[in-house]
Amino acid sequence: MPETPHIVSDVMTRTVVAVGRDAPFKEIVQTLGQWRVSAMPVLEGEGRVVGVVSEADLLPKEELRDSEPDRFEQMRRLPDLAKARAVTAEELMSTPAVTVHTDATLAEAARVMAVRRVKRLPVVDAEGMLRGIVSRGDLLKVFLRADEDIEEEVRRTVVSCLFPGLGHAVHVRVDEGVVTLSGELHDTALIPVAARLARAVEGVVDVECHFRAPGHAGAESPS
């Protein structure tokens, strides 16, 4: 059975469109449009990521093209005014680039995207060299895992570890990514632990626990 993809390199896109520091404004616009992306890395040398240029970096040139902001507005929008005058990727890019390493977990990448409010991240190795790009959509690929794969992993990494010798008494069912754990259980203190571990399996949408004490066929323990 395939293992859960735990790191960014498992889901990232390896073919990445990028530009160099000296790329002119019009080339950047054309490249973004041709590849239908809203942002791309800026590289130097053999592929080290030094920044990211996005549609948001390009818009001030149009927004402020025929405006004459007063002194207060100029002070408030100095970065936008600088971008409005920019003509190369080096002048336009946001730097330092917000990146993620190839061996980062998917949860770590998701946190970076949320905190920095970006939709995609250049993926770099230990030397800062571009290796791919990961998007929000890439991180959601784990939810495409087959229910059978999730069930096998829950049995192997949760049930077998928490309930050794009791595998026959603990039942696992997965439907549309929702894991249901049920059966007879003496130690109810392990129920929250089982729910937490099952929820950590990538691709799991939710976890429900319906355990009962031996001899109490109608009693269920909530997750």
Side-chain angles (χ1 to χ4, degrees), residues 45-60:
E46 297 299 317
R48 188 168 67 88
V49 180
V50 293
V52 173
V53 63
S54 70
E55 292 173 338
D57 296 318
L58 306 176
L59 283 176

Side-chain angles (χ1 to χ4, degrees), residues 4 6 145 149-158 201:
T4 299
H6 291 289
R145 293 187 73 196
D149 292 350
I150 297 173
E151 180 179 324
E152 188 277 336
E153 185 168 343
V154 171
R155 291 185 187 280
R156 174 169 48 82
T157 64
V158 180
V201 173

Side-chain angles (χ1 to χ4, degrees), residues 2 8 38 57 69 77 88 113 116 125 135 145-146 178 196 200:
V8 166
S38 60
D57 296 318
R77 301 194 62 183
T88 66
M113 286 185 186
R116 302 304 293 268
D125 60 19
S135 68
R145 293 187 73 196
V178 178
R196 185 174 69 252

Side-chain angles (χ1 to χ4, degrees), residues 43 47-50 99 101 123-131:
L43 310 180
R48 188 168 67 88
V49 180
V50 293
T99 62
H101 286 278
V123 182
V124 299
D125 60 19
E127 286 72 43
M129 305 297 284
L130 182 66
R131 291 293 175 259

